[in-house]
Amino acid sequence: MRPLGDSPLVRNDKTLVLAHDHGVEHGPKQFSGVEDRLDPNHVFEMATHDAVTALAVGKGLTETYYPSYKDDVNLLAKLNGGSDLWMGDPYSAHNWSVDYAAELDVDAIGYTIYPGVNDEVEMFEAFGEVQENARDHDLPIAMWAYPRGQAVKEHRSKEIIAYAARLGLELGSDFTKVKYPRSKENMAYAVQSAADNRVLLSGGSKTSDREFLELVEDCMDVGVAGLAVGRNVWQRENPYEMLDMLEEVVFEGASADDVL
Amino acid sequence: MRPLGDSPLVRNDKTLVLAHDHGVEHGPKQFSGVEDRLDPNHVFEMATHDAVTALAVGKGLTETYYPSYKDDVNLLAKLNGGSDLWMGDPYSAHNWSVDYAAELDVDAIGYTIYPGVNDEVEMFEAFGEVQENARDHDLPIAMWAYPRGQAVKEHRSKEIIAYAARLGLELGSDFTKVKYPRSKENMAYAVQSAADNRVLLSGGSKTSDREFLELVEDCMDVGVAGLAVGRNVWQRENPYEMLDMLEEVVFEGASADDVL
Amino acid sequence: MRPLGDSPLVRNDKTLVLAHDHGVEHGPKQFSGVEDRLDPNHVFEMATHDAVTALAVGKGLTETYYPSYKDDVNLLAKLNGGSDLWMGDPYSAHNWSVDYAAELDVDAIGYTIYPGVNDEVEMFEAFGEVQENARDHDLPIAMWAYPRGQAVKEHRSKEIIAYAARLGLELGSDFTKVKYPRSKENMAYAVQSAADNRVLLSGGSKTSDREFLELVEDCMDVGVAGLAVGRNVWQRENPYEMLDMLEEVVFEGASADDVL
Amino acid sequence: MRPLGDSPLVRNDKTLVLAHDHGVEHGPKQFSGVEDRLDPNHVFEMATHDAVTALAVGKGLTETYYPSYKDDVNLLAKLNGGSDLWMGDPYSAHNWSVDYAAELDVDAIGYTIYPGVNDEVEMFEAFGEVQENARDHDLPIAMWAYPRGQAVKEHRSKEIIAYAARLGLELGSDFTKVKYPRSKENMAYAVQSAADNRVLLSGGSKTSDREFLELVEDCMDVGVAGLAVGRNVWQRENPYEMLDMLEEVVFEGASADDVL
Amino acid sequence: MRPLGDSPLVRNDKTLVLAHDHGVEHGPKQFSGVEDRLDPNHVFEMATHDAVTALAVGKGLTETYYPSYKDDVNLLAKLNGGSDLWMGDPYSAHNWSVDYAAELDVDAIGYTIYPGVNDEVEMFEAFGEVQENARDHDLPIAMWAYPRGQAVKEHRSKEIIAYAARLGLELGSDFTKVKYPRSKENMAYAVQSAADNRVLLSGGSKTSDREFLELVEDCMDVGVAGLAVGRNVWQRENPYEMLDMLEEVVFEGASADDVL
């Protein structure tokens, strides 16, 4: 694995990002049933759990809540995003500069690219600038790598997810967040394709405890460096219970069976 | 609520913006019946009323009239806007820089975005830069958040207005101006979705005194932080009477019945 | 009227701009019958007439001829323009920077916008930058405001010309040059809509002495701040005679009958 | 004529540019029959002839060969150009900055614009920046002015060539290179339209000695300031013979008959 | 040949670049059968072979592996590239700045252009900036020159490859990498067209030892300055054997027969 110095994002060489950019990407409807969590204090509170090595949020949440949680939360600044009202080809608007993120004292940078879309060129070029700017501030970079577009018939196929993971290595991220490619063997291939880059499993939409923990166990087995989980934690009735279990599976090598 | 320091825009933790960018957005036809108010001195004069915590106008009006009213008016610099002669997808041209607004000694920044339109990406990115530039000058930012575009079938629905309010929080505004989502319950949901962000009711076109004041009362009841009102004040025969009544409803907790 | 300090562009609070950007906008065919005036020395010479408070020309003419006329001519730098060979939607290319205009020691800035065209956004944003840059150099700005585009069925209607005049005020020009809206009453409405902004009549194509002077008289009667005249002066056989007459009508309050 | 100081580009107030940007504009096929001249040393050698007051080449040729010819050749830096593989509307990519040209110690700047094409606006704006940057370095500027596009039915007509020449004056070039407008009278009109700007005849494709020299003679007769010649020199079997003859016609007032 | 100072990229005035940007351009599928080489350490190791005068890789591989190989590998920074998921006209996203490449202590710059494509203008302009920035850092530049687009019916024809080679000279590269134009004679013409620019053979997809070595021999015979080889080395079962043979053919003048 590519060294990360003494970054707080890594514990036992593993990483668990609590992702919470759903307010910009999908809006309040994502909080259906857990409306109390429209108050981001609840989610920042979850991020103080020992299992969480970083909380990924956008600029507004960082400005408003991070000052109260700075001692207990590592912040991964999600610099781009877009609403799901937009009907264009996938593209993620870059609305937060690395410089200002650094000024707010964040611990890492996150950026989404959609390889294969009409504006792939613009996204690669924007990522290139963000990446170099992050290096200037000695901030690690996580790439959300989600291939889309005309040539991507099946965006979770073995080849596509391995390509996504490889792009993280090639373009200079420290972590690359990819979707699950439908089998443990395919994920192993993605990890091999990423070489010394750290692959993070993208958590996806909420599933049962067992289903989700077995998925995580499978990924850890084949060398994934951790996960970025959102809805499978903060949409749960009891997110702390899930975080307790994830802590054991991700950092301590426990199996899903062990913790359930 | 997110703290605003000792900003003059807030009084009893509430805000009333007198909006007057109609000359650029719609032109002189908006002054039909009140042609004397084509002279902006009349509107700046209204803004000296105690009920008004800020006057929102563009660069030209600020340069020409603000010097004479600086002691009595708080100015919210509306940085973007466009004519209604334009037939393109909604977009608001950024014609005033934050730096020059600060040089003119304004008290806050205002910026319109249209989530969901073809150029959502450009608008989010432009807002991102304006927002950070405003932070450099310690100026609060109000976002005019008006979802539009192919996916927005009903731009005043519960979900759309709550999404608009949430985007203000997520993208880093201090105030978010939204349209009324057709019911008090829906507005309560928008306020909840905005969490610590201050939601302002967009006044809309002129209605009767009672209709407008009951609307304001309902909004204040569910936690709205104030309103941005234009035509319902400056198009009225007696704007000062309306401002007197609004002052009681917005800042003193009076009902529409109390003041009528 | 918005104060202009001791600007040489104003005399008795009135202004007469001799406009001569026809070489770029329409080319040599505009000089048909007066080919000797293809030599710009003739037009700079006309601009030394006392009636002319500013000569509006582009960068090339300024560089080549202004050095010889600096003591006798006030120069209004026309920063944008385009050829009539271009078949696109109206747009005026910005080919001269404010900084370089200031370096050449000009007295004012001129810029064309076409509200309502497909690229209205770009034109408003470009004007915004030019306007602020002009302020940095303490140079007054004249806007050529010509609405066009799909929504502009009749570009000289009462509403359209009043809107154009208002946009000058709203966007921060000192002078706004508009076409004649077909009646004296309509021009009065445009002047009222512009409030403290100075409206200049756009001279248009060559007409008879009487027709042109009566038009100017009517405009001065309803509060127009002067005119920007091109072809009605430099295309005339005897431009100095016309300038003598304009001087009396514009600056001395004479009628067309008085001077003819 | 607009003064050029003690520029080496002018001799007896006349100019002869040897143009050699054909390698980028059309590629090696232009060297058919004279393949030895694919070696630019041959063309730089021609440019040491007394008749040549400047050699117009691009960045690569300048970097590679100019260092060896600096004492004997005046270099006109052709900053933009494109391949003839491109099927888009005429446009000339700006691939060499004025600053770097100045660093390489060139004597003048050359830039192509195509008035009337879809991207006329971009070309005018790019020329505007180049022109001002050249002024900063005290470098003369030659404009290659070639109208094209939907409105240009006949790009060598009297009106079009006169318009091209005028645009050079209006936009601030020192020299304007135009095609021959099919008659001596038309060229006289172009020269008159350019006023104090120096019109250069664009040499065009290779013709017979007599045809070419009579064309040059006719142009010099009506006040053209010189020519920019490429293929009619370097594609000839004996370019030095042609340069000897051109020297007499351009700088000494000889006729074609005199020299043949 | 244009001098390169004491650049480590040249040995006996010849160059062999090991190209390894396939991970970004085509993804992991290119490693089918040699999956162990998904670990870039294997390829950096190959680049320590004496035959390799430079290794061409992107930013991510350089950041991750170059620090361990700096003493034994010369690095050519490939600044642009794109995924093969993209269905647009060929274009190569510029994702690595020259400044940051220089900061990472690379030895040369590489940049792809596609003359003839819809965005030729943008690619030429981007190359122009990169080229000048590389000069600022005294770094040699290699252009990958691959004509494409509507006018390019046969992208390996004699004329097209010669044009590509010439563009390298004209636009200011030090090396120009072109495809093989189907015959030794055609390659000789490309070399002649490039004059003092160094033409590199693009290795292409994997072929037999004899076929590949005879191709290289033919190219060296007609004055090619070396080659840029990727798949014909790193996709081979025994890449070191091939490098041994290439060393003799490229640097020692051996024939394919000699080494097989």
Side-chain angles (χ1 to χ4, degrees):
Chain A
M1 286 296 143
R2 184 167 168 167
L4 276 172
D6 55 352
S7 168
L9 272 76
V10 172
R11 169 181 162 199
N12 293 356
D13 216 30
K14 298 288 178 262
T15 295
L16 193 159
V17 177
L18 179 60
H20 191 62
D21 57 351
H22 306 76
V24 61
E25 297 281 345
H26 302 286
K29 64 181 169 290
Q30 288 266 321
F31 297 77
S32 176
V34 288
E35 278 82 1
D36 61 302
R37 291 161 201 177
L38 282 166
D39 178 355
N41 281 300
H42 292 293
V43 181
F44 272 78
E45 201 60 45
M46 294 173 203
T48 65
H49 190 288
D50 281 353
V52 179
T53 60
L55 171 66
V57 290
K59 180 163 66 174
L61 299 195
T62 302
E63 285 186 329
T64 314
Y65 304 98
Y66 186 44
S68 309
Y69 291 90
K70 214 170 251 185
D71 294 341
D72 304 308
V73 169
N74 301 317
L75 204 131
L76 189 157
K78 186 70 199 325
L79 301 190
N80 64 345
S83 85
D84 67 8
L85 301 174
W86 196 50
M87 296 287 93
D89 211 35
Y91 197 93
S92 200
H94 181 186
N95 60 68
W96 188 4
S97 72
V98 174
D99 287 353
Y100 185 52
E103 198 181 305
L104 295 177
D105 210 13
V106 306
D107 300 287
I109 295 298
Y111 204 88
T112 298
I113 63 169
Y114 297 107
V117 298
N118 290 336
D119 289 328
E120 177 189 291
V121 170
E122 287 73 15
M123 297 215 92
F124 277 27
E125 297 192 345
F127 180 79
E129 285 182 32
V130 162
Q131 196 267 3
E132 298 186 12
N133 209 343
R135 292 289 175 241
D136 289 342
H137 290 284
D138 282 322
L139 290 170
I141 309 122
M143 176 194 282
W144 273 227
Y146 297 152
R148 290 286 187 285
Q150 303 174 50
V152 182
K153 305 302 180 204
E154 215 292 64
H155 73 92
R156 287 175 173 244
S157 70
K158 177 186 174 189
E159 284 297 343
I160 292 295
I161 297 300
Y163 202 165
R166 182 74 183 190
L167 285 169
L169 173 72
E170 297 274 348
L171 299 178
S173 71
D174 296 294
F175 298 91
T176 308
K177 183 187 173 200
V178 300
K179 304 270 186 191
Y180 186 66
R182 302 210 186 284
S183 80
K184 196 170 165 177
E185 291 66 35
N186 291 350
M187 192 52 129
Y189 179 60
V191 170
Q192 185 186 13
S193 297
D196 289 272
N197 196 270
R198 295 162 187 270
V199 176
L200 299 181
L201 170 70
S202 177
S205 46
K206 202 177 78 170
T207 56
S208 74
D209 286 11
R210 173 161 296 276
E211 197 175 343
F212 183 59
L213 289 166
E214 285 180 352
L215 174 68
V216 174
E217 180 191 346
D218 282 354
C219 288
M220 301 312 294
D221 273 0
V222 298
V224 158
L227 72 158
V229 61
R231 289 165 287 178
N232 270 299
V233 168
W234 67 258
Q235 281 184 354
R236 278 191 144 67
E237 199 177 342
N238 191 337
Y240 294 95
E241 199 176 66
M242 176 50 84
L243 287 171
D244 288 342
M245 294 188 289
L246 282 173
E247 186 170 14
E248 293 189 53
V249 178
V250 172
F251 300 101
E252 313 295 343
S255 69
D257 276 340
D258 291 342
V259 301
L260 281 163
Chain B
M1 286 296 142
R2 184 166 168 167
L4 276 173
D6 55 353
S7 168
L9 274 73
V10 172
R11 169 180 162 200
N12 292 356
D13 216 31
K14 298 289 179 261
T15 295
L16 193 159
V17 177
L18 179 60
H20 192 62
D21 56 352
H22 306 75
V24 61
E25 298 280 346
H26 302 286
K29 64 182 169 288
Q30 288 266 320
F31 297 77
S32 175
V34 288
E35 278 81 2
D36 62 302
R37 291 161 202 177
L38 282 166
D39 177 355
N41 281 300
H42 291 294
V43 181
F44 272 78
E45 201 60 45
M46 294 174 203
T48 65
H49 190 288
D50 281 352
V52 179
T53 61
L55 172 66
V57 289
K59 180 162 65 174
L61 299 194
T62 302
E63 285 186 328
T64 314
Y65 304 98
Y66 186 44
S68 309
Y69 291 90
K70 213 170 250 184
D71 294 341
D72 304 308
V73 168
N74 301 317
L75 203 130
L76 189 157
K78 186 70 199 328
L79 301 190
N80 64 346
S83 85
D84 67 8
L85 301 175
W86 196 50
M87 295 288 94
D89 212 34
Y91 196 94
S92 201
H94 182 187
N95 60 68
W96 188 4
S97 72
V98 174
D99 287 353
Y100 186 52
E103 197 181 306
L104 295 178
D105 210 13
V106 306
D107 299 287
I109 295 298
Y111 204 87
T112 298
I113 63 169
Y114 297 107
V117 297
N118 290 336
D119 289 327
E120 177 188 292
V121 170
E122 287 73 15
M123 297 214 92
F124 277 28
E125 297 193 345
F127 180 80
E129 285 182 32
V130 161
Q131 196 267 2
E132 297 186 13
N133 208 342
R135 292 290 176 239
D136 288 341
H137 291 283
D138 282 321
L139 290 170
I141 308 123
M143 177 195 281
W144 273 225
Y146 297 151
R148 290 285 187 285
Q150 302 174 49
V152 181
K153 306 302 180 203
E154 215 291 66
H155 73 92
R156 288 176 172 242
S157 71
K158 178 187 174 187
E159 284 298 344
I160 291 295
I161 297 299
Y163 202 166
R166 182 73 183 191
L167 284 170
L169 173 72
E170 297 274 347
L171 299 178
S173 72
D174 296 294
F175 297 90
T176 308
K177 183 188 174 199
V178 300
K179 304 271 185 191
Y180 186 67
R182 303 210 185 284
S183 81
K184 195 171 166 176
E185 290 66 33
N186 290 349
M187 192 51 129
Y189 179 60
V191 168
Q192 185 185 13
S193 296
D196 289 273
N197 195 270
R198 296 161 186 270
V199 175
L200 300 181
L201 169 69
S202 177
S205 45
K206 203 177 78 170
T207 55
S208 75
D209 285 11
R210 171 161 298 277
E211 197 177 342
F212 183 60
L213 289 165
E214 285 180 353
L215 173 69
V216 174
E217 180 191 347
D218 282 355
C219 288
M220 300 312 294
D221 273 2
V222 298
V224 158
L227 73 157
V229 61
R231 290 165 286 177
N232 270 298
V233 167
W234 67 258
Q235 280 185 353
R236 276 190 147 66
E237 198 177 343
N238 190 336
Y240 294 94
E241 199 176 65
M242 175 51 82
L243 286 171
D244 287 343
M245 294 187 290
L246 281 174
E247 185 170 15
E248 292 189 53
V249 178
V250 172
F251 300 101
E252 312 296 342
S255 69
D257 276 340
D258 291 343
V259 300
L260 282 164
Chain C
M1 285 296 141
R2 182 167 170 168
L4 276 174
D6 55 353
S7 168
L9 273 73
V10 172
R11 169 180 162 200
N12 292 357
D13 216 30
K14 298 289 179 262
T15 294
L16 192 158
V17 176
L18 179 59
H20 191 63
D21 56 352
H22 306 75
V24 60
E25 297 280 346
H26 302 286
K29 64 182 169 289
Q30 289 264 322
F31 298 76
S32 175
V34 288
E35 278 81 1
D36 61 302
R37 290 160 202 178
L38 282 166
D39 178 355
N41 281 300
H42 290 294
V43 181
F44 272 79
E45 201 61 44
M46 294 174 203
T48 64
H49 189 288
D50 280 353
V52 179
T53 61
L55 172 65
V57 289
K59 181 163 64 174
L61 299 194
T62 302
E63 285 186 329
T64 314
Y65 304 97
Y66 186 44
S68 309
Y69 291 90
K70 213 169 250 182
D71 294 342
D72 303 309
V73 168
N74 301 316
L75 203 132
L76 189 156
K78 187 71 199 328
L79 301 190
N80 63 347
S83 84
D84 67 8
L85 301 174
W86 196 50
M87 295 288 94
D89 212 34
Y91 197 93
S92 201
H94 181 186
N95 60 68
W96 188 4
S97 73
V98 174
D99 288 353
Y100 185 52
E103 198 180 305
L104 294 178
D105 210 14
V106 306
D107 300 287
I109 295 296
Y111 204 88
T112 298
I113 63 170
Y114 297 107
V117 296
N118 289 337
D119 289 327
E120 177 187 292
V121 171
E122 286 73 15
M123 297 214 92
F124 277 28
E125 297 193 345
F127 180 80
E129 285 182 33
V130 161
Q131 197 267 2
E132 298 186 11
N133 208 343
R135 292 290 176 240
D136 289 342
H137 291 284
D138 283 322
L139 290 170
I141 308 122
M143 178 194 282
W144 273 227
Y146 297 152
R148 290 286 186 284
Q150 303 174 51
V152 181
K153 305 304 180 204
E154 215 291 66
H155 73 92
R156 288 176 172 242
S157 70
K158 177 186 174 187
E159 284 298 344
I160 291 294
I161 297 299
Y163 202 165
R166 182 72 183 192
L167 284 169
L169 173 72
E170 297 275 348
L171 299 178
S173 72
D174 295 294
F175 298 89
T176 308
K177 182 188 174 197
V178 300
K179 305 271 185 190
Y180 186 67
R182 304 211 184 281
S183 81
K184 194 170 167 177
E185 291 67 33
N186 290 349
M187 192 50 130
Y189 179 59
V191 168
Q192 185 186 13
S193 296
D196 290 273
N197 194 270
R198 295 161 188 270
V199 176
L200 299 182
L201 170 70
S202 177
S205 46
K206 202 177 78 170
T207 57
S208 74
D209 285 12
R210 172 162 298 276
E211 197 177 342
F212 183 59
L213 289 165
E214 285 180 354
L215 174 68
V216 174
E217 179 191 348
D218 282 355
C219 288
M220 301 313 294
D221 273 2
V222 298
V224 159
L227 73 158
V229 60
R231 290 165 286 178
N232 270 297
V233 167
W234 66 257
Q235 279 185 354
R236 277 191 147 66
E237 199 177 340
N238 190 336
Y240 294 95
E241 199 177 66
M242 176 51 83
L243 287 171
D244 288 344
M245 295 188 287
L246 282 173
E247 185 169 17
E248 292 189 53
V249 177
V250 172
F251 299 102
E252 312 296 342
S255 69
D257 276 339
D258 290 343
V259 300
L260 281 165
Chain D
M1 286 295 142
R2 183 167 169 168
L4 276 173
D6 54 354
S7 168
L9 273 74
V10 172
R11 169 181 162 200
N12 292 358
D13 216 30
K14 298 289 178 261
T15 294
L16 192 159
V17 176
L18 178 59
H20 192 63
D21 56 351
H22 306 76
V24 60
E25 297 280 346
H26 302 286
K29 64 181 169 289
Q30 288 266 320
F31 297 77
S32 175
V34 288
E35 277 81 2
D36 61 303
R37 291 160 201 177
L38 282 166
D39 178 354
N41 281 301
H42 292 294
V43 181
F44 273 78
E45 201 60 44
M46 293 173 204
T48 64
H49 189 287
D50 280 354
V52 179
T53 61
L55 172 66
V57 289
K59 180 164 63 175
L61 299 194
T62 302
E63 284 186 330
T64 313
Y65 304 98
Y66 187 43
S68 309
Y69 292 90
K70 214 170 251 181
D71 294 341
D72 303 308
V73 169
N74 302 316
L75 204 131
L76 189 157
K78 187 71 199 328
L79 300 189
N80 63 346
S83 85
D84 67 8
L85 302 174
W86 196 49
M87 296 287 93
D89 212 33
Y91 197 94
S92 201
H94 181 185
N95 60 69
W96 188 3
S97 72
V98 174
D99 287 354
Y100 186 52
E103 199 180 303
L104 295 177
D105 209 15
V106 307
D107 300 286
I109 295 298
Y111 204 87
T112 298
I113 63 170
Y114 296 107
V117 297
N118 289 337
D119 290 327
E120 176 187 292
V121 169
E122 287 73 15
M123 296 214 92
F124 278 28
E125 297 193 344
F127 180 80
E129 285 183 32
V130 162
Q131 196 267 1
E132 298 186 11
N133 208 342
R135 293 288 177 242
D136 289 342
H137 290 284
D138 282 322
L139 290 170
I141 307 123
M143 177 195 282
W144 272 227
Y146 297 152
R148 290 287 186 284
Q150 303 173 51
V152 181
K153 305 303 180 205
E154 215 290 67
H155 73 93
R156 288 176 172 241
S157 70
K158 177 186 175 188
E159 284 297 344
I160 291 295
I161 297 298
Y163 202 165
R166 182 73 183 191
L167 284 169
L169 173 72
E170 297 274 348
L171 299 178
S173 70
D174 296 295
F175 298 90
T176 308
K177 182 188 174 199
V178 299
K179 304 270 186 190
Y180 186 67
R182 304 211 185 281
S183 80
K184 195 169 167 178
E185 290 66 35
N186 290 350
M187 192 51 127
Y189 179 60
V191 169
Q192 185 186 13
S193 296
D196 289 273
N197 195 271
R198 295 162 189 270
V199 176
L200 299 182
L201 170 69
S202 177
S205 44
K206 202 178 78 172
T207 56
S208 73
D209 285 12
R210 171 161 299 276
E211 199 177 343
F212 183 59
L213 289 165
E214 285 179 353
L215 174 68
V216 174
E217 178 190 348
D218 282 355
C219 288
M220 301 312 295
D221 273 2
V222 298
V224 159
L227 74 157
V229 60
R231 291 167 284 178
N232 270 297
V233 168
W234 66 258
Q235 279 184 353
R236 277 189 147 66
E237 199 177 338
N238 190 338
Y240 294 95
E241 197 175 66
M242 175 51 83
L243 287 171
D244 288 343
M245 293 187 288
L246 282 173
E247 186 169 14
E248 292 188 53
V249 178
V250 172
F251 300 102
E252 313 296 342
S255 69
D257 277 339
D258 290 343
V259 299
L260 282 165
Chain E
M1 286 296 142
R2 184 168 170 168
L4 276 173
D6 55 353
S7 168
L9 274 75
V10 172
R11 169 181 162 200
N12 291 358
D13 216 30
K14 298 289 178 261
T15 294
L16 193 159
V17 177
L18 179 59
H20 192 62
D21 57 351
H22 306 77
V24 60
E25 297 280 346
H26 302 286
K29 64 179 169 291
Q30 289 266 321
F31 297 77
S32 175
V34 288
E35 278 82 1
D36 61 302
R37 291 160 202 178
L38 282 166
D39 178 355
N41 281 300
H42 291 294
V43 181
F44 272 78
E45 201 60 45
M46 293 173 205
T48 64
H49 190 287
D50 281 353
V52 179
T53 60
L55 172 66
V57 290
K59 180 162 65 174
L61 298 195
T62 301
E63 285 186 329
T64 313
Y65 304 98
Y66 187 44
S68 309
Y69 291 90
K70 213 170 252 183
D71 294 341
D72 303 309
V73 168
N74 301 317
L75 204 131
L76 189 156
K78 186 71 200 325
L79 301 189
N80 64 346
S83 84
D84 67 7
L85 301 174
W86 196 49
M87 296 286 94
D89 211 34
Y91 197 93
S92 200
H94 181 185
N95 59 68
W96 188 3
S97 73
V98 175
D99 287 354
Y100 186 52
E103 198 181 304
L104 294 177
D105 209 14
V106 306
D107 301 287
I109 295 297
Y111 204 88
T112 298
I113 63 169
Y114 297 107
V117 298
N118 289 337
D119 289 327
E120 177 188 291
V121 170
E122 287 73 14
M123 296 214 92
F124 277 28
E125 298 193 344
F127 180 80
E129 285 183 32
V130 162
Q131 196 267 3
E132 298 185 12
N133 209 342
R135 292 289 176 241
D136 288 342
H137 290 284
D138 282 322
L139 290 170
I141 308 123
M143 177 195 282
W144 273 228
Y146 297 151
R148 289 287 186 284
Q150 303 174 49
V152 182
K153 305 304 179 204
E154 214 291 65
H155 73 92
R156 288 176 172 241
S157 70
K158 177 186 174 189
E159 284 298 343
I160 291 295
I161 297 299
Y163 202 164
R166 182 74 183 190
L167 285 169
L169 173 72
E170 297 274 348
L171 299 178
S173 71
D174 295 296
F175 298 90
T176 308
K177 183 187 174 199
V178 300
K179 305 271 186 190
Y180 186 66
R182 305 213 185 281
S183 81
K184 196 169 166 179
E185 290 66 35
N186 291 350
M187 192 51 129
Y189 179 59
V191 168
Q192 185 186 15
S193 296
D196 289 274
N197 196 270
R198 295 162 189 270
V199 175
L200 299 182
L201 170 70
S202 178
S205 45
K206 202 177 77 170
T207 56
S208 74
D209 286 11
R210 172 162 297 276
E211 197 176 345
F212 184 59
L213 289 165
E214 284 180 354
L215 174 68
V216 174
E217 180 191 346
D218 282 356
C219 288
M220 301 312 295
D221 273 0
V222 298
V224 158
L227 73 158
V229 61
R231 290 166 285 177
N232 270 298
V233 168
W234 66 259
Q235 280 184 355
R236 277 190 146 66
E237 200 178 338
N238 191 337
Y240 294 95
E241 197 176 66
M242 176 51 84
L243 287 171
D244 288 342
M245 294 187 289
L246 281 174
E247 186 170 14
E248 293 188 53
V249 177
V250 172
F251 300 102
E252 312 297 343
S255 69
D257 277 339
D258 292 342
V259 300
L260 281 164

